[in-house]
Amino acid sequence: MLWVSTNVLTVLRLTFRFLWMPIGKGFWSVYTDKLRLVFTGVMVVIASNISVQAKNIVVPAPHDFILQQDPILLWTKIISNASISAACFVLFWILKHFIQNRKERSSHLIFWLLSMVLIAFGILHIMQIWGLYRPLYWIKAVIEVCTAALAIFTTIALWPLVPKTLKLKGHEEFEKVNRQLLESESNFHLLVSGIKDYAIFMLDPRGNVITWNEGAERIKGYKANEIIGKNFSQFFLPEDKEKGKPLQILKMASENGRYEEEALRMRKDGSRFWANIVITALYDPSEQLTGFAKVTRDITEKRHAIQVLEEQAALFDVFNDAILVRNLDGTICYWNVGAEKMYGYSAKQVMEKTSQDLLKTESAKPLAQIDQDIIAKGHWEGELTHYREDGRPIIVESRQALKTDSQGAPASIIEINTDITDRKEAEQKQLALAEMERVNSELQQFAYIASHDLQEPLRAVAGCLQILEKRYKGHLDQRADELIQFAVDGAVRMCTLINDLLVLSRVDSENMMITVTDLQKVLDQVKTNLLTAIEESGAKITHGKLPLLHVNDTLLTMLFQNLISNAIKFRDSRDPKIHVDAIRKNGKWLFSIKDNGIGFDQKYANQIFQPFKRLHSKDEYPGTGIGLPICKRIVERHGGKIWADSQPGKGTTFHFTLTEVKGNDDSEKAIASP
């Protein structure tokens, strides 16, 4: 009996030790701690009672009469209960070990409840053996109640799992899925190992290589048996190793889940290459780091191409032309500084946008047809209308060429656009000016012919009217004399007008001979021509120093004579005072002819140079309105300008410019009509 008691106490001590071992800090730890506390208390009470009762036992014997009479039955019950108790404790130990090593903590409570039930059943069967020799009914009842409570609670907790358990796949289905997974994993490994353009391999949490594919061997130069088990820091440059970069990269990948960079790496033979590296952290269901997946791509050629493109782009930025590169779908992938200046959009604004939509491209030829021609012929040239960011349209001379990839397939289109808006506008203006000059030339020719051909009949009409006036004046009534006078005056004015038109047309149409002319002599000649008018009006003409110029002396004489005669004609009651002067300014000679006449309102300063635009009636001041237009054409044919400053009652100053002549070359040359 002492042996039984000793073994029971040993089992209880082991039970307490198992129960007191740590379970872990899972979701159900609070509940299991409470159950452990209650169960431990019960076990302490039971153990105490057993110890007390054991002291009073001297020679234990079975209390049941049948068992006393049948030793075989007695030992059968002892052995069977001891075996059941031992099995319960062993099963408890197995479950405890399973719980502590299982990483999924969502079902820990169920397993701990089952463990408690097993312990309770084990103790209960020990009490069955003890009860054969000492009827401890209350202790046994307490243990039975605890066992029943644990069994009921465990049953309630297990009941919701029954439907889920029924949905679990059977062994055959699990085998099938397992085979499929193995095949999938095998295919994946075959796929990865066969990739040659990418180095794909796995690292353990410390960065040691655990897999290696053919692409890794080609890019890095190591065979699988040479690198597996070694740290991936061998791929780093010495200076990066000294800085601890390999560990930094693994740390960043584990913290962020992923790490990517473009950097220099080193091959087995020591050569360096540019690589695009992506490291992805791998975790198990409990979010424990299990390793890393690393993918490396050799981008040395790409980096070289980018460097060449950047050098070309820097060269392109020197030009004012807009240079852009667009993909075959029209999206912009390059935009130089010239394009920014021409269109107003920055490179950041236009990237990945369609160029034709952005610039609202207009063309006489369909844009789709232009793209087809570029792909078919490799290039296209023509004029396009684009719209700037501010909405202003511009005309560009566009040169577009097809860019192909290394296999010769179309890859993109490079477009060089030159802003020719100003040139096109100048061409339009030139065409309009040429058309205007053509019309003016025809009109001048017509005026010359008309004025020349009308002179003879008008001369005849005027002569007849003058004879009629001499012969019959005073012989008819007064009304007839007035009519004859009107007719004679009209004919004379018509002759004067035609002569002036003829002079104007000659100024515009005839070639003029240019000679070195002394303007002082020109003014003297004008004063001689206007001697009668000067004497009758009492005019005083003064002048400053006049230059020697390369001009047509006849036209300059006409210019001075028209302006001075106007100064004499448009006078008030005062004697006319006229001053002629010239100053050199900006490589040209600026002339001024100033008078003290009646003047005019400055708002008519442009009107007076138009043919037949008179400010006074012919009764106030006779004339045809052709004199000043003739002056304007003479000055313009000499490459100058003419204008007037005037105030009513304060006189008028006419200004005009003529080109300066250097030297005293008397040679003559002809300047054709423009």
Side-chain angles (χ1 to χ4, degrees):
M1 189 61 205
L2 182 60
W3 175 82
V4 173
S5 177
T6 303
N7 279 281
V8 169
L9 292 175
T10 302
V11 170
L12 288 175
R13 283 197 303 271
L14 291 172
T15 302
F16 296 152
R17 185 183 301 169
F18 279 125
L19 288 174
W20 203 252
M21 289 180 72
I23 299 173
K25 298 298 180 181
F27 179 77
W28 301 103
S29 61
V30 176
Y31 301 100
T32 54
D33 288 344
K34 290 181 179 179
L35 288 172
R36 176 193 292 169
L37 183 62
V38 172
F39 195 80
T40 303
V42 173
M43 292 299 101
V44 169
V45 172
I46 293 172
S48 300
N49 280 280
I50 291 174
S51 299
V52 171
Q53 295 296 331
K55 292 178 181 178
N56 299 323
I57 296 174
V58 179
V59 180
H63 67 280
D64 191 281
F65 175 78
I66 297 174
L67 294 176
Q68 291 177 1
Q69 299 297 322
D70 192 346
I72 296 175
L73 180 59
L74 174 65
W75 284 105
T76 301
K77 290 181 69 66
I78 291 173
I79 292 171
S80 61
N81 279 283
S83 299
I84 293 172
S85 178
C88 287
F89 289 132
V90 171
L91 288 173
F92 165 75
W93 183 85
I94 293 172
L95 277 176
K96 176 181 175 295
H97 181 74
F98 176 77
I99 292 170
Q100 289 179 339
N101 290 278
R102 182 176 175 84
K103 295 178 180 178
E104 182 184 355
R105 301 183 179 273
S106 59
S107 57
H108 277 189
L109 176 63
I110 301 300
F111 288 113
W112 277 111
L113 287 174
L114 289 173
S115 300
M116 294 301 102
V117 171
L118 288 172
I119 290 294
F121 272 109
I123 295 172
L124 185 62
H125 283 283
I126 290 174
M127 292 306 300
Q128 290 286 356
I129 298 172
W130 182 263
L132 293 174
Y133 299 95
R134 196 71 177 175
L136 303 174
Y137 296 112
W138 276 106
I139 295 175
K140 184 177 179 182
V142 171
I143 294 174
E144 288 174 346
V145 169
C146 292
T147 304
L150 282 170
I152 292 170
F153 187 77
T154 303
T155 303
I156 294 172
L158 284 172
W159 184 255
L161 298 178
V162 175
K164 297 180 180 179
T165 306
L166 294 175
K167 293 180 180 179
L168 292 175
K169 297 179 180 180
H171 177 71
E172 293 182 357
E173 293 185 21
F174 274 114
E175 287 293 331
K176 182 180 178 181
V177 171
N178 190 42
R179 285 195 303 270
Q180 291 176 348
L181 288 174
L182 289 174
E183 291 176 1
S184 175
E185 184 178 0
S186 176
N187 291 335
F188 175 75
H189 282 299
L190 287 174
L191 175 64
V192 170
S193 62
I195 295 176
K196 298 181 179 180
D197 294 332
Y198 290 82
I200 304 174
F201 52 95
M202 306 289 291
L203 305 174
D204 65 15
R206 292 173 297 178
N208 296 322
V209 179
I210 55 178
T211 66
W212 197 249
N213 78 326
E214 189 175 343
E217 181 178 337
R218 186 186 67 83
I219 293 174
K220 298 183 179 292
Y222 293 92
K223 294 186 180 297
N225 59 355
E226 295 175 328
I227 194 64
I228 290 179
K230 296 183 179 179
N231 197 272
F232 84 122
S233 60
Q234 295 193 56
F235 311 137
F236 286 77
L237 305 182
E239 53 267 30
D240 291 337
K241 290 181 184 179
E242 292 177 1
K243 296 176 182 177
K245 190 171 181 180
L247 291 178
Q248 294 174 8
I249 289 176
L250 291 183
K251 183 179 179 182
M252 286 188 282
S254 61
E255 291 176 351
N256 303 321
R258 188 175 186 273
Y259 176 83
E260 181 176 0
E261 71 167 349
E262 289 186 359
L264 283 171
R265 289 292 184 267
M266 194 162 61
R267 297 187 178 93
K268 177 184 176 182
D269 59 7
S271 61
R272 301 184 178 192
F273 67 98
W274 277 99
N276 174 263
I277 303 110
V278 178
I279 299 178
T280 305
L282 304 176
Y283 300 92
D284 61 13
S286 63
E287 298 184 355
Q288 294 293 321
L289 180 67
T290 60
F292 302 92
K294 184 177 179 183
V295 179
T296 303
R297 181 164 60 100
D298 187 348
I299 58 169
T300 305
E301 292 184 2
K302 177 185 174 183
R303 292 282 299 192
H304 178 69
I306 292 174
Q307 183 179 359
V308 172
L309 185 60
E310 289 175 348
E311 292 174 355
Q312 292 176 347
L315 181 62
F316 288 157
D317 287 341
V318 176
F319 300 103
N320 292 324
D321 290 345
I323 302 176
L324 59 102
V325 179
R326 54 188 175 93
N327 298 317
L328 296 182
D329 61 358
T331 55
I332 299 170
C333 57
Y334 175 74
W335 187 264
N336 79 326
V337 174
E340 291 182 356
K341 294 177 180 178
M342 184 179 296
Y343 297 111
Y345 295 100
S346 66
K348 186 177 180 181
Q349 288 177 286
V350 304
M351 286 304 166
E352 301 302 325
K353 292 186 178 179
T354 305
S355 63
Q356 294 178 354
D357 294 338
L358 179 73
L359 303 177
K360 301 175 184 177
T361 306
E362 296 177 0
S363 173
K365 191 174 186 178
L367 300 178
Q369 184 62 45
I370 292 175
D371 288 344
Q372 291 176 8
D373 290 347
I374 294 172
I375 294 175
K377 301 177 182 178
H379 62 89
W380 179 86
E381 293 185 10
E383 292 183 3
L384 301 173
T385 299
H386 288 158
Y387 287 84
R388 287 170 42 86
E389 185 183 23
D390 58 12
R392 181 169 64 88
I394 59 174
I395 302 172
V396 300
E397 184 178 60
S398 183
R399 300 172 297 282
Q400 303 184 24
L402 183 67
K403 187 176 181 295
T404 57
D405 58 19
S406 57
Q407 283 76 34
S412 58
I413 296 173
I414 182 169
E415 188 173 329
I416 303 176
N417 297 326
T418 304
D419 187 354
I420 59 171
T421 306
D422 293 340
R423 190 179 80 189
K424 296 297 288 186
E425 290 177 354
E427 289 177 357
Q428 294 295 328
K429 290 179 181 178
Q430 189 65 30
L431 290 174
L433 183 60
E435 180 64 16
M436 186 181 298
E437 288 180 350
R438 185 188 64 81
V439 173
N440 287 338
S441 177
E442 292 178 355
L443 288 174
Q444 291 167 4
Q445 187 69 18
F446 171 77
Y448 176 78
I449 295 172
S451 60
H452 184 273
D453 292 347
L454 285 174
Q455 273 188 328
E456 196 59 37
L458 273 176
R459 223 182 267 118
V461 170
C464 292
L465 288 173
Q466 289 173 350
I467 293 172
L468 185 62
E469 180 184 21
K470 290 179 181 179
R471 182 173 296 182
Y472 294 102
K473 186 176 182 180
H475 296 284
L476 302 175
D477 57 14
Q478 185 178 357
R479 180 60 177 165
D481 291 342
E482 290 177 356
L483 291 175
I484 292 173
Q485 184 63 43
F486 288 154
V488 171
D489 291 343
V492 172
R493 285 198 306 274
M494 183 65 73
C495 287
T496 304
L497 179 60
I498 289 175
N499 284 329
D500 290 343
L501 283 174
L502 184 60
V503 171
L504 179 62
S505 64
R506 283 174 177 170
V507 170
D508 287 330
S509 60
E510 290 184 356
N511 292 345
M512 61 180 187
M513 299 304 297
I514 299 298
T515 60
V516 177
T517 303
D518 186 351
L519 273 297
Q520 177 65 54
K521 294 181 179 179
V522 169
L523 181 59
D524 292 341
Q525 181 63 45
V526 169
K527 289 164 68 175
T528 301
N529 295 343
L530 298 176
L531 182 59
T532 302
I534 292 171
E535 291 177 349
E536 290 178 354
S537 63
K540 294 182 179 179
I541 301 175
T542 59
H543 62 83
K545 185 176 180 181
L546 300 180
L548 187 73
L549 294 180
H550 212 178
V551 294
N552 181 280
D553 58 347
T554 302
L555 293 181
L556 261 291
T557 301
M558 188 184 302
L559 171 64
F560 276 83
Q561 186 167 319
N562 280 341
L563 293 176
I564 292 174
S565 63
N566 276 351
I568 294 173
K569 180 168 60 175
F570 294 101
R571 66 181 186 273
D572 54 17
S573 57
R574 297 171 296 174
D575 292 339
K577 292 182 178 180
I578 304 166
H579 182 74
V580 180
D581 203 357
I583 60 174
R584 189 163 49 191
K585 187 176 182 180
N586 297 329
K588 292 187 176 183
W589 281 94
L590 174 61
F591 291 84
S592 61
I593 298 179
K594 182 178 181 181
D595 63 52
N596 62 342
I598 60 174
F600 59 86
D601 195 327
Q602 188 64 28
K603 66 181 180 180
Y604 301 114
N606 292 327
Q607 179 179 324
I608 61 175
F609 293 104
Q610 299 176 15
F612 311 115
K613 296 291 184 179
R614 294 173 49 86
L615 302 182
H616 308 280
S617 66
K618 63 179 183 299
D619 294 331
E620 292 178 299
Y621 298 97
T624 60
I626 298 296
L628 289 178
I630 290 174
C631 294
K632 182 173 182 291
R633 290 303 297 146
I634 292 172
V635 172
E636 288 177 349
R637 288 209 67 183
H638 285 82
K641 294 182 179 180
I642 186 170
W643 66 97
D645 294 325
S646 182
Q647 288 184 0
K650 294 186 178 181
T652 302
T653 302
F654 282 91
H655 307 276
F656 59 91
T657 60
L658 295 176
T659 304
E660 178 183 3
V661 173
K662 296 181 179 180
N664 295 319
D665 185 9
D666 336 353
S667 62
E668 297 184 353
K669 59 180 178 180
I671 298 181
S673 173

